[in-house]
Amino acid sequence: MTYVVLMGGPGAGKGTQAKILCKKLGLPQIATGDLFRENLRENTELGQLARTYMNGGDLVPDEVTVGMVKERLSRPDCANGALLDGFPRTISQADALETLLAEMDERVHIVPYIHVNPDLLLQRLAGRWTCSACGRVYHVLFNPPKQDGICDLDGSALYQRDDDTAETQKHRIAVYFKQTAPLLDYYKNKGLLVEINGEQSIEQVQKELLQVIKESDRQRTD
Ligand code: ADP
Ligand code: ADP
């Protein structure tokens, strides 16, 4: 069993890393932002609830988010654990996650924190393009696709997220520092936080993440 909570500000590279890590570790990626966007696309009740918060760059209320994660964690593909990307984002969500996992006799095992300075976070968000089919993210300067506007993996069109406007990006970073950054101390106090320098190449960050997760697995099975 491995439960990983991947932390980092908006644009730190959580999604980029989570997609590769999950393949390598055989764990499902639970990305609350992606789940909300799926609900927006399908115009479900949950999507309608989340829309205004997301478009404004604010957090969706905790009850809604926790309910969605609870349902997701109960699915069979989470039998060996999961990698959480973008959840928890508040202390109250972290407490709720602890309770959810405790009900399954489980707990969070490791919290890698991808650290990137705020000015770089903004540059990362400003150049982010996402594949409309597979969700893979690119960056116009730092990680461009082979062909402009087209996903390398499946040839689908890339798009810029509705909440990736200059104004919302700044707001999301501020929301992160106010509501989510306190979680760093929360997990540090539990001895779970491991900081990774996110201002390195995607490959180097990946290598270090894999190392710390495998090391934590090893310590538990020894
Ligand atoms: P980013 O990749 O820029 O960090 P996400 O895709 O993780 O953004 O999230 C996009 C939006 O979805 C957030 O701004 C917020 O409105 C909503 N959201 C995602 N995860 C959560 C969460 N754990 N709690 C509340 N809202 C969330
Ligand atoms: P998050 O999920 O944390 O919001 P993303 O994975 O969506 O972050 O990455 C944000 C942007 O930064 C994307 O455009 C991505 O291509 C780019 N990016 C991610 N990691 C790196 C890196 N190590 N170096 C340069 N650019 C990166």
Side-chain angles (χ1 to χ4, degrees):
M1 241 354 143
T2 310
Y3 286 98
V4 181
V5 167
L6 201 54
M7 287 219 35
K14 298 180 300 297
T16 302
Q17 298 296 339
K19 287 209 161 49
I20 325 174
L21 273 178
C22 283
K23 262 197 206 125
K24 289 189 180 156
L25 297 168
L27 290 175
Q29 176 194 6
I30 302 187
T32 39
D34 289 350
L35 292 174
F36 280 131
R37 277 185 291 279
E38 254 170 57
N39 278 280
L40 283 188
R41 264 197 304 277
E42 289 162 17
N43 202 24
T44 64
E45 207 175 311
L46 190 72
Q48 285 168 17
L49 250 168
R51 188 180 308 272
T52 18
Y53 298 101
M54 289 182 77
N55 286 343
D58 286 308
L59 296 183
V60 178
D62 287 339
E63 319 79 75
V64 179
T65 310
V66 169
M68 179 175 77
V69 171
K70 181 176 182 179
E71 189 280 324
R72 182 65 190 85
L73 277 173
S74 71
R75 293 198 211 156
D77 64 335
C78 297
N80 293 321
L83 188 146
L84 293 146
D85 157 13
F87 180 91
R89 257 169 151 107
T90 62
I91 300 273
S92 133
Q93 289 182 12
D95 285 337
L97 176 64
E98 198 167 283
T99 309
L100 278 180
L101 291 177
E103 283 166 6
M104 307 174 345
D105 271 335
E106 282 302 335
R107 64 181 179 86
V108 172
H109 296 116
I110 182 161
V111 183
Y113 163 47
I114 309 178
H115 178 261
V116 170
N117 284 307
D119 49 341
L120 186 56
L121 287 179
L122 206 54
Q123 288 181 44
R124 294 254 184 104
L125 291 178
R128 173 163 69 184
W129 287 78
T130 309
C131 173
S132 51
C134 73
R136 168 153 182 199
V137 288
Y138 295 86
H139 191 282
V140 278
L141 301 174
F142 308 144
N143 182 27
K146 291 196 179 83
Q147 216 183 322
D148 265 4
I150 305 285
C151 179
D152 293 350
L153 301 180
D154 55 31
S156 304
L158 305 182
Y159 77 105
Q160 261 191 315
R161 275 168 41 178
D162 287 348
D163 62 345
D164 271 345
T165 62
E167 197 187 330
T168 332
Q169 284 162 358
K170 273 204 199 111
H171 184 62
R172 289 197 344 261
I173 292 172
V175 166
Y176 167 78
F177 280 105
K178 187 152 181 251
Q179 296 185 265
T180 308
L183 276 179
L184 298 174
D185 271 341
Y186 176 101
Y187 283 123
K188 200 183 277 172
N189 292 336
K190 291 181 188 283
L192 297 175
L193 197 81
V194 185
E195 184 167 326
I196 306 273
N197 174 8
E199 299 189 4
Q200 311 179 85
S201 69
I202 293 177
E203 293 73 24
Q204 184 59 26
V205 175
Q206 177 64 209
K207 198 169 137 196
E208 294 184 15
L209 282 170
L210 208 55
Q211 247 164 19
V212 299
I213 296 170
K214 286 197 166 155
E215 179 54 29
S216 129
D217 277 347
R218 220 175 358 255
Q219 280 173 8
R220 272 178 291 119
T221 47
D222 274 353

